Amino acid sequence: MNFKLYDKKASKQELSFIMICLAVLCCCGIFVGLLDNLRLYLDLSKESTENAIWQILPESITLSIMVICSIIIGAILKNVKRNQIFTHNNGAHIMNIGGLIDLNGLILWGLSNLSPVKAIGHGYMIYILIGLFFLFIGCVFKFGVKMKEEQDLTI
């Protein structure tokens, strides 16, 4: 009996499926963000309040950062498709995503403190925590790449 621990064709199909799922999730996130912004613009245009910018600005900033993160994820997926998975480039991309998410949280925190309209809750905290998590994962990823390169050099 011959058992294969690693089936190249099956792993390629799984990788392709995961990449498609990630791309769909990124597109759905951007689409939902666009719809939320559009709904907010329409609601605020009816009321035409002087504080409308303080309600639109956080959503727009978050959407912009989401689009940039989706582009970076697309670059990671392109590298994965070329079988360049454990590279310093992908580690840097993960760190960039974490930095952008942290930046979003910090901007939202600043806006919530400056805004005359007080938002309910502390939504910025989750962005800061997720950004820190991505930064941690990026550091671990870069450390793993360094270990892989050292192992490849040993005979």
Side-chain angles (χ1 to χ4, degrees):
M1 225 180 249
N2 188 6
F3 292 105
K4 288 186 178 180
L5 294 176
Y6 180 73
D7 186 7
K8 199 171 191 174
K9 185 178 179 185
S11 69
K12 196 89 159 159
Q13 289 173 340
E14 290 172 1
L15 185 63
S16 176
F17 177 73
I18 291 170
M19 288 173 51
I20 289 170
C21 288
L22 282 173
V24 167
L25 284 174
C26 287
C27 290
C28 288
I30 291 171
F31 183 69
V32 167
L34 284 172
L35 287 180
D36 280 347
N37 269 2
L38 182 61
R39 179 193 51 79
L40 187 60
Y41 290 139
L42 292 176
D43 289 346
L44 292 174
S45 67
K46 292 176 190 172
E47 297 173 13
S48 158
T49 63
E50 61 189 42
N51 294 326
I53 189 70
W54 292 105
Q55 294 173 335
I56 293 173
L57 193 60
E59 293 289 329
S60 299
I61 290 170
T62 301
L63 179 64
S64 301
I65 289 181
M66 190 185 309
V67 167
I68 295 168
C69 287
S70 296
I71 291 168
I72 294 172
I73 289 171
I76 293 172
L77 292 176
K78 189 184 288 187
N79 288 340
V80 169
K81 197 171 190 177
R82 288 186 257 157
N83 280 337
Q84 297 173 350
I85 299 169
F86 297 106
T87 63
H88 288 289
N89 196 12
N90 283 345
H93 285 325
I94 293 170
M95 299 270 300
N96 289 337
I97 290 171
L100 284 168
I101 294 171
D102 268 343
L103 179 66
N104 184 40
L106 292 173
I107 290 172
L108 293 179
W109 172 72
L111 288 175
S112 71
N113 288 330
L114 295 174
S115 171
V117 179
K118 293 300 173 194
I120 299 171
H122 300 285
Y124 59 86
M125 287 301 292
I126 192 70
Y127 288 110
I128 293 172
L129 289 174
I130 291 172
L132 289 174
F133 178 73
F134 268 90
L135 287 172
F136 173 74
I137 295 297
C139 287
V140 170
F141 195 89
K142 282 186 166 189
F143 183 71
V145 168
K146 187 176 180 180
M147 286 177 54
K148 178 188 173 286
E149 288 175 350
E150 288 175 0
Q151 184 180 13
D152 288 344
L153 292 176
T154 55
I155 299 175

